[in-house]
Amino acid sequence: MSMANFSPFKFLLSLFLLVWTATSSSVSGDRKTYIIHMDKPAMPAPFSTHQDWYMSILSSLSSSSDSVAPTHLYTYTHVMDGFSAVLSQDHVDQIRNIPGHLAAYPDIIGHHHTTRTPKFLGLKKHAGIWPAAGFGNDIIIGVIDSGIWPESESFNDDGMPPVPARWRGICEVGTEFNSSHCNKKLIGARSFSKGLKQNGFNISKTDDYDSPRDFYGHGTHTSSTAAGSRVQHADYFGYAKGTAIGVAPMARIAMYKPLFFHETDLKSAATDVLAGMDQAIEDGVDIMSLSLGFPETIFDGNPIAIGAFAALKKGIFVSCSAGNSGPHAYTILNGAPWITTIGAGTIGRDFAAHITLGNNELTVTGRSVYPENVFVSEVPIYFGHGNQSKELCALYSLDSTDVAGKYIFCAFDHDGLVGFAQQLNEMNRTGAAGAILSSDKGKFLDPTDFNMPFVTINPKDGELVKNYMMNVKNATVSIKFQITVLGTKPAPQVAYFSSRGPALQSPYILKPDILAPGVDILASWVPNRGVQPIHDQQLLSNYALISGTSMSCPHVAGIAALLKAVHRDWSSAAIRSAMMTTAYLHDNANGIITDMETGTAGTPLDFGAGHVNPNKAMDPGLVYDIEVEDYINYLCGLNYTGNQIRVLTGTSNFTCEHANLDLNYPSFIVILNNTNSTSFIFKRVLTNVADGSSIYRAMVNAPEGMKVVVQPATISFAGKYSKAVFNMTVSISLGTNAIPHDFIGNFGFLSWYEVNGKHMVRSPIVSAFAP
């Protein structure tokens, strides 16, 4: 993607596709960066610290006369036992023979994946979770991203109490960044780039900052979404006007920057991401938010999965973006069961332009984010009627003598966005003043990709415009831009780009976990570079509208901060369970949440347990809790070796005696492997987190082809923190003629209703075909 016409909406189409490159380029000769896992208890007695041991190992490696000595990058303390270094293949071979060595992985490169959303989430100043949580007061959110723009008003600390005494982090000094840029809101900022540099990526002084300062805008946007301070009169060139505020506005932000701009995209090295997560744990964060991803490999080869497991052991909640490779199945990223994986949905807001043809002879409304407050008044409009190529504005079909200075009306019938880009470039080439495009893909199109104004209208309106154009000579058009429409229906919808489940590496756990706002999210931006092309200029803005699972992830991080503030003793699994079992399934049109791509009802492979509901999550009644040992038993069930489990979990004190693929998760999924029928017995333990005793009864909503039996169907709890066990047998029989659609078999729901109480605890039950 060319950055000459950079626009934030391209995150939605290109930058958030989370495509990765496993780097195999050598630093010098056959030298590469490796992540070395060591068995810390095997450290020889003479060494007082593991750092001394690792440095001794590196200094002891023999080298041929023409080879370069090893280069140490990071020593890891929390995310794993080990270090990263630049090594030759001979060095790696030598390390593998050293007692205490567990594994060596080559470094890989990863990419990155609000005025309306607090209201859409039901957050209120004087009721519900906001005041109960003190708006997230005293909770520290560690954001692993592209840095931060500290001068943004979203990070002002007006009215915030002193920094928590338990905080151990710092604000490091670097290019255009020093300790004075931190305050009681932004309490820490560090950058990690050793791995990228060793992999041959130069951090350009013109294309990024070798410091925690954000050059690209991504990290500023995500951190202000999670915990930005209240800012009045925020907008994006007249659109989405209002007060911008983060989900947890009194929470603290600590930025850890491993993402740097290189050529056309943000990139991060696994070594740097691990170092950032390691430091976040050391500094004392409560929540981690990661809107980035690496290849969905085995968990012990995935730096985010490794770092998140270490965070789990410290009681740190980890929220990750699901990826932007939808709408097809098995595209989920960050699918480890100890990570909360977030899909993206719409928020019931759109941006429009009113179109009037002739003298009020026809009026339609279309979609546009053109950034100028102009009124196009009775401008000639061209339609190439009778010539199919011109009707479609096909490449090189238009003649500038026909269209220069005019608006163009044409249809859009391409399956992909490349054809749309060609159309807009064709119009630009011919000197057209603007365009009106008839397309059912209008909700997917990016108005900021091109520096000419255009509006998309749905095909039904397009037929009206076409008929008008065919019957009127010298037609004219008038357009009013900069219109924000609230309460659009249906909402939420699952964003077309949001990656879908199941998770390829762990299909026995339903992913994504939950849906959160991720389309057209207004949040803070960097004011140092163009955000919107217009004519021959790049306009600047302090706020930007961005879409992607990168945006939904910090929403859940902020909600987790609120829940943590209310329930300090809840585990990460309990927080996730509370969100999932209280999520809602119906949109504002009273139908099941729909798929933006198809317009039809979605499935739990699209939206997980449903759309997050913060106020309900504060009081879920019951939770499905999970212990570290349970995750280890699950890894055993996946047939991970003892060495792999040690690398991933950082412990050797375990057995696989209780290997089990049935994790105590708040959702259920049955995988159909070369069959249309199967049966599985799930065992679950529910914990009462409400005050007092209670009784719950099971209710199952199962479709044809799914039989569900819950035993016992009634469970009771003596008091808070008491537990109850139940088994659920799910039998699937889809018939011989079943045709899988995007791998979904069927789905239903298990709901526990509190007898004479207010709580309802719901979980999806899904059957899906194996890949």
Side-chain angles (χ1 to χ4, degrees), residues 354-432:
H354 288 327
I355 302 168
T356 303
L357 293 167
N359 185 21
N360 289 316
E361 294 165 70
L362 177 65
T363 300
V364 297
T365 298
R367 189 178 196 280
S368 182
V369 193
Y370 186 62
E372 284 193 330
N373 186 18
V374 297
F375 183 75
V376 176
S377 180
E378 297 185 350
V379 174
I381 183 169
Y382 169 85
F383 175 53
H385 177 57
N387 183 315
Q388 186 176 18
S389 295
K390 292 185 177 182
E391 286 188 14
L392 298 176
C393 299
L395 200 60
Y396 304 121
S397 66
L398 300 177
D399 189 330
S400 59
T401 58
D402 294 331
V403 303
K406 300 179 182 178
Y407 265 69
I408 302 174
F409 170 74
C410 62
F412 171 71
D413 67 346
H414 300 278
D415 290 333
L417 297 179
V418 173
F420 168 73
Q422 291 176 340
Q423 285 182 310
L424 267 291
N425 284 326
E426 173 72 0
M427 298 174 202
N428 255 338
R429 179 186 67 81
T430 55

Side-chain angles (χ1 to χ4, degrees), residues 114-123 130 154 221 224-225 228-247 347-351 484-486 517 519-524 543-546 555:
T114 74
T115 55
R116 173 69 176 163
T117 52
K119 184 176 181 180
F120 187 77
L121 289 170
L123 298 174
W130 253 3
S154 290
H221 196 279
S224 62
T225 297
S229 299
R230 181 184 181 88
V231 181
Q232 293 182 321
H233 311 302
D235 69 277
Y236 179 75
F237 301 111
Y239 297 94
K241 291 181 179 178
T243 299
I245 188 169
V247 175
I347 61 171
R349 178 178 66 190
D350 211 345
F351 308 108
T484 299
V485 182
L486 301 179
V519 176
D520 293 340
I521 304 303
L522 184 80
S524 187
Y543 290 85
L545 286 166
I546 309 294
H555 278 91

Side-chain angles (χ1 to χ4, degrees), residues 360-706:
N360 289 316
E361 294 165 70
L362 177 65
T363 300
V364 297
T365 298
R367 189 178 196 280
S368 182
V369 193
Y370 186 62
E372 284 193 330
N373 186 18
V374 297
F375 183 75
V376 176
S377 180
E378 297 185 350
V379 174
I381 183 169
Y382 169 85
F383 175 53
H385 177 57
N387 183 315
Q388 186 176 18
S389 295
K390 292 185 177 182
E391 286 188 14
L392 298 176
C393 299
L395 200 60
Y396 304 121
S397 66
L398 300 177
D399 189 330
S400 59
T401 58
D402 294 331
V403 303
K406 300 179 182 178
Y407 265 69
I408 302 174
F409 170 74
C410 62
F412 171 71
D413 67 346
H414 300 278
D415 290 333
L417 297 179
V418 173
F420 168 73
Q422 291 176 340
Q423 285 182 310
L424 267 291
N425 284 326
E426 173 72 0
M427 298 174 202
N428 255 338
R429 179 186 67 81
T430 55
I436 299 172
L437 302 180
S438 172
S439 171
D440 61 358
K441 304 288 186 182
K443 57 194 173 186
F444 308 143
L445 304 183
D446 182 355
T448 65
D449 281 345
F450 305 91
N451 60 6
M452 63 181 297
F454 74 88
V455 185
T456 60
I457 57 177
N458 68 55
K460 290 182 180 179
D461 288 341
E463 283 299 311
L464 295 175
V465 174
K466 181 178 179 179
N467 291 334
Y468 176 84
M469 296 288 297
M470 290 168 55
N471 291 288
V472 174
K473 292 184 178 181
N474 301 319
T476 61
V477 63
S478 301
I479 305 175
K480 176 68 175 72
F481 292 97
Q482 290 191 330
I483 297 169
T484 299
V485 182
L486 301 179
T488 59
K489 295 183 179 182
Q493 290 182 296
V494 182
Y496 73 94
F497 55 79
S498 187
S499 289
R500 299 333 199 240
L504 197 58
Q505 293 297 324
S506 177
Y508 309 102
I509 301 297
L510 177 64
K511 293 285 180 171
D513 291 309
I514 204 159
L515 200 68
V519 176
D520 293 340
I521 304 303
L522 184 80
S524 187
W525 197 249
V526 292
N528 62 320
R529 59 199 307 264
V531 67
Q532 166 71 55
I534 181 171
H535 308 309
D536 295 324
Q537 305 176 48
Q538 288 281 337
L539 302 183
L540 304 177
S541 177
N542 291 318
Y543 290 85
L545 286 166
I546 309 294
S547 296
T549 56
S550 280
M551 284 61 254
S552 55
C553 168
H555 278 91
V556 170
I559 294 168
L562 297 175
L563 291 171
K564 192 87 168 177
V566 176
H567 302 287
R568 300 283 179 155
D569 58 337
W570 279 13
S571 68
S572 296
I575 291 173
R576 174 177 56 204
S577 176
M579 291 188 202
M580 291 177 65
T581 61
T582 60
Y584 62 87
L585 299 172
H586 291 86
D587 57 31
N588 59 1
N590 297 318
I592 291 287
I593 295 171
T594 60
D595 184 335
M596 184 179 180
E597 169 76 10
T598 64
T600 60
T603 78
L605 295 185
D606 305 319
F607 52 65
H611 194 284
V612 66
N613 185 335
N615 290 319
K616 290 262 188 166
M618 180 174 61
D619 183 18
L622 309 176
V623 297
Y624 295 86
D625 210 352
I626 305 175
E627 303 292 337
V628 170
E629 182 181 354
D630 300 324
Y631 290 115
I632 293 176
N633 290 335
Y634 180 77
L635 293 170
C636 293
L638 289 175
N639 292 322
Y640 275 53
T641 67
N643 198 60
Q644 286 179 297
I645 295 173
R646 288 171 71 182
V647 165
L648 178 57
T649 67
T651 181
S652 58
N653 185 24
F654 67 89
T655 70
C656 280
E657 181 181 352
H658 301 291
N660 191 354
L661 289 174
D662 186 22
L663 197 59
N664 197 45
Y665 219 76
S667 59
F668 305 86
I669 185 167
V670 175
I671 298 297
L672 299 163
N673 194 0
N674 296 319
T675 181
N676 284 350
S677 62
T678 191
S679 182
F680 191 86
I681 300 175
F682 296 92
K683 178 183 178 180
R684 291 290 188 271
V685 179
L686 281 164
T687 302
N688 181 28
V689 291
D691 293 328
S693 61
S694 57
I695 298 173
Y696 284 79
R697 290 200 179 104
M699 180 175 290
V700 172
N701 180 355
E704 183 179 357
M706 175 185 287

